[in-house]
């Protein structure tokens, strides 16, 4: 028996230059489209009468970029998703996800790619509802002190020493669901990002879990348009180097930056009074 399914065009790379005289604007996106509905016939018999080619989805992305321009990624994703649901009557939903790569202006038509994080968007449009999820991935943060870890469970396999002063570093992967499909998307994104970063900086951490709750709570406090936020925080371990063979004392100064394995802390912070999600949300 065929279960839930979808199909679409993944990772259409789009660069849109907005030319305003000698001053240009630049938008750099990675757009993915997925459609779902009654596609039983094409799975069972190869009947493609209900299948919009994925190549058409790619072409639509480029055509819409020309016809409508590209502003905030949430706006562009909403435009695409609504188009597919409106024009494909046999389908139930369209999901458009966007990765947005930022460029810093160097001159009227010169830019430098920013590499400190990637902005993400996931829009789902059905016949009954619209859901917008924004997010960020790859935001690397570090506190060189103001972090401890002790009082944890110890069994016969525990070798980790307790510490009252450690480096706390992570690469934030966060996504947050909006209460509606209308917002000042740019201001909302920057506000959420600033709130999470401020919480990381200003929380004296006894565990990465404590930091996660602080970051999520501050984002909800700062941005009333956000219903809930999910965070995944890998613990980017830093280990003290043993310098005693060289007659040197390591006073919490020289570290090995560990790659893997790593701890992974995940959690959701939500408001008490928000309606449930219209559909499963993830990035």
């Amino acid at each position: 028996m065929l279960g839930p399914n979808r199909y679409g065009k993944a990772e259409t790379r789009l660069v849109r230059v907005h030319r305003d005289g000698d001053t240009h604007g630049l938008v750099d996106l990675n757009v993915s489209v997925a459609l779902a509905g009654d596609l039983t016939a094409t799975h069972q018999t190869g009947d493609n009468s209900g299948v919009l080619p994925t190549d058409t989805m790619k072409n639509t992305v480029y055509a819409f970029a020309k016809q409508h321009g590209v502003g905030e990624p949430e706006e562009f994703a909403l435009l695409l998703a609504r188009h597919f649901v409106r024009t494909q009557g046999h389908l139930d939903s369209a999901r458009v996800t966007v990765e947005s790569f930022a460029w810093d202006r160097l001159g009227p038509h010169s830019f430098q790619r920013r590499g400190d994080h990637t902005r993400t968007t996931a829009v789902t449009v059905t016949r009954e509802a619209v859901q917008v999820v924004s997010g960020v991935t790859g935001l690397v943060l570090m506190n060189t002190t103001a972090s401890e870890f002790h009082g944890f469970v110890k069994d016969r396999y525990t070798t980790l020493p307790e510490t009252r002063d450690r480096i706390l570093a992570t690469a934030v992967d966060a996504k947050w669901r909006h209460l509606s499909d209308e917002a000042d998307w740019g201001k909302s994104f920057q506000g959420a990002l600033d709130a999470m970063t401020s919480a990381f900086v200003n929380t004296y951490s006894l565990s990465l879990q404590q930091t996660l709750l602080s970051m999520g709570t501050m984002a909800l406090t700062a941005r009333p348009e956000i219903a809930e936020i999910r965070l995944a925080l890998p613990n980017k371990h830093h280990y003290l180097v043993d310098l005693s063979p060289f007659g040197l004392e390591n006073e919490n100064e020289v570290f090995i930056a560990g790659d893997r394995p790593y701890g992974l802390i995940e959690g959701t912070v939500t408001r008490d009074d928000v309606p449930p999600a219209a559909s499963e949300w993830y990035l």
Side-chain angles (χ1 to χ4, degrees):
M1 178 178 178
L2 180 66
N5 61 88
R6 65 181 66 170
Y7 82 105
K9 199 67 160 184
E11 301 196 30
T12 297
R13 291 290 285 116
L14 167 66
V15 174
R16 175 61 154 96
V17 178
H18 294 95
R19 302 181 184 275
D20 183 14
D22 293 333
T23 301
H24 297 172
L26 179 66
V27 179
D28 186 356
L29 305 180
N30 196 22
V31 182
S32 295
V33 177
L35 306 181
D38 185 6
L39 297 167
T40 302
T42 192
H43 284 87
Q44 291 182 340
T45 67
D47 177 0
N48 295 320
S49 59
V51 175
L52 181 73
T54 66
D55 189 67
T56 303
M57 300 177 198
K58 174 205 68 180
N59 293 340
T60 304
V61 170
Y62 292 132
F64 272 39
K66 169 59 179 177
Q67 293 173 322
H68 304 283
V70 182
E72 299 295 338
E74 290 86 354
E75 293 175 350
F76 192 59
L78 281 164
L79 187 69
L80 286 166
R82 285 173 169 146
H83 164 79
F84 288 121
V85 170
R86 184 181 67 253
T87 60
Q88 304 301 309
H90 58 290
L91 297 179
D92 300 326
S93 70
R95 175 180 167 82
V96 177
T97 60
V98 180
E99 293 177 305
S100 180
F101 308 109
W103 291 77
D104 291 323
R105 181 177 297 281
L106 299 178
H109 53 264
S110 302
F111 303 86
Q112 177 178 307
R113 171 77 177 266
R114 190 188 309 162
D116 55 341
H117 65 265
T118 300
R119 180 176 172 179
T120 59
T121 300
V123 167
T124 303
V125 174
T126 68
R127 302 290 171 189
E128 296 79 28
V130 177
Q131 183 167 281
V132 180
V133 175
S134 301
V136 64
T137 188
L139 177 65
V140 180
L141 303 174
M142 177 187 290
N143 284 329
T144 55
T145 189
S147 176
E148 306 180 19
F149 189 55
H150 51 79
F152 46 81
V153 174
K154 302 178 182 68
D155 66 13
R156 60 181 294 192
Y157 303 111
T158 301
T159 59
L160 184 71
E162 295 190 347
T163 179
R164 304 282 172 166
D165 188 8
R166 68 170 181 171
I167 287 178
L168 183 67
T170 189
V172 178
D173 184 358
K175 41 191 172 286
W176 49 93
R177 178 171 66 91
H178 293 273
L179 285 166
S180 77
D181 59 352
E182 295 183 357
D184 184 335
W185 302 114
K187 183 177 179 180
S188 179
F189 173 79
Q190 191 60 50
L193 190 65
D194 291 345
M196 289 187 293
T197 302
S198 177
F200 182 87
V201 170
N202 294 296
T203 299
Y204 191 101
S205 180
L206 299 178
S207 68
L208 190 50
Q209 287 89 337
Q210 181 187 15
T211 300
L212 181 150
L213 179 60
S214 178
M215 293 172 69
T217 300
M218 188 167 287
L220 293 183
T221 301
R223 305 308 311 175
E225 70 275 11
I226 297 176
E228 57 182 323
I229 182 169
R230 295 178 180 176
L231 297 107
L233 304 181
N235 195 339
K236 300 180 76 67
H237 301 298
H238 289 71
Y239 305 103
L240 275 172
V241 178
D242 181 10
L243 299 178
S244 60
F246 320 118
L248 300 172
E249 185 175 350
N250 192 351
E251 298 178 342
N252 227 21
E253 296 173 315
V254 181
F255 299 85
I256 298 171
D259 179 22
R260 60 196 63 184
Y262 53 85
L264 180 59
I265 312 303
E266 300 175 287
T268 301
V269 184
T270 185
R271 301 185 189 278
D272 294 333
D273 56 348
V274 297
S279 61
E280 182 182 8
W281 59 286
Y282 53 88
L283 291 178

